[in-house]
Amino acid sequence: MNEPAITAGAMLQAETMMTELKTLLAGVLEDEVRDIEPGDNLFGHGLHSLALMRLIPPLSQLAGARLDYDDLARQPTLAAWQALIERSRAGH
């Protein structure tokens, strides 16, 4: 079976979303977000429960649907949040 090719447009869209996520995160963290890797545990970078609560509205807006605190807290990485947002946008 052939794997679908990742288009340049899809790569750019993913990079743009990661930039948006880091920008939102910068608004609630004191750590330098530029150094945060997509797979880093955000609680290890200073994210705490109240900050995560503040992120739910803008993250939900990106997703086009209300995101659940538990889903975000269960996998507190930029990569997991990006995947969650992309699934929500796709209606899954």
Side-chain angles (χ1 to χ4, degrees):
M1 236 186 248
N2 290 336
E3 293 287 325
I6 298 175
T7 66
M11 296 258 314
L12 180 60
Q13 186 177 19
E15 289 174 17
T16 300
M17 184 181 297
M18 189 60 66
T19 300
E20 289 181 60
L21 290 173
K22 284 187 174 188
T23 299
L24 291 172
L25 198 57
V28 298
L29 289 187
E30 294 180 14
D31 273 3
E32 181 59 51
V33 296
R34 149 178 89 223
D35 299 329
I36 297 176
E37 295 295 324
D40 287 356
N41 184 318
L42 298 173
F43 290 118
H45 285 280
L47 183 68
H48 51 83
S49 60
L50 292 176
L52 180 54
M53 295 284 291
R54 288 179 39 206
L55 286 170
I56 290 174
L59 291 174
S60 295
Q61 186 174 9
L62 272 177
R66 175 90 172 145
L67 297 178
D68 186 60
Y69 176 91
D70 291 336
D71 291 336
L72 295 167
R74 189 175 302 116
Q75 293 185 305
T77 68
L78 292 172
W81 290 1
Q82 182 173 359
L84 182 64
I85 289 167
E86 288 171 352
R87 280 193 308 275
S88 179
R89 285 180 170 178
H92 297 109

